[in-house]
Amino acid sequence: MTAKDKAKELVDKYKFYLGNEEENIKEAKDLSLIAVDEILNSNPSYDDYGGDGWKIIDNSDYWKEVKKEINNKL
């Protein structure tokens, strides 16, 4: 999933829970940013097994891009 798609998904999920009203978009964005900050603060990475064996993949750049997209969204 692209960072732009993930940003839209997060904002839309929060917007839905807030009543899906247009005036809730700012609050939905704020809540999405809190969620992404929590992910970034948790040092996001995952183990991947490739041809060279196990390695840790840092995906913090992805989440930084998601954060950027949320800030740019709507």
Side-chain angles (χ1 to χ4, degrees), residues 10 14 29-45 58-60 63-64 66-67 70:
L10 285 170
Y14 281 110
K29 285 174 63 173
D30 290 344
L31 292 169
S32 298
L33 289 170
I34 290 169
V36 171
D37 282 340
E38 288 296 317
I39 292 168
L40 284 168
N41 290 334
S42 73
N43 193 18
S45 62
D58 178 7
N59 64 354
S60 60
W63 289 105
K64 288 176 187 173
V66 170
K67 187 174 180 176
I70 291 169

Side-chain angles (χ1 to χ4, degrees), residues 8 11-12 14-15 18 20-32 70 73-74:
K8 182 178 178 348
V11 172
D12 287 347
Y14 281 110
K15 193 173 152 186
L18 292 169
N20 212 18
E21 301 297 327
E22 197 59 36
E23 61 267 12
N24 291 329
I25 191 69
K26 183 185 180 332
E27 190 171 354
K29 285 174 63 173
D30 290 344
L31 292 169
S32 298
I70 291 169
K73 184 174 175 34
L74 308 169

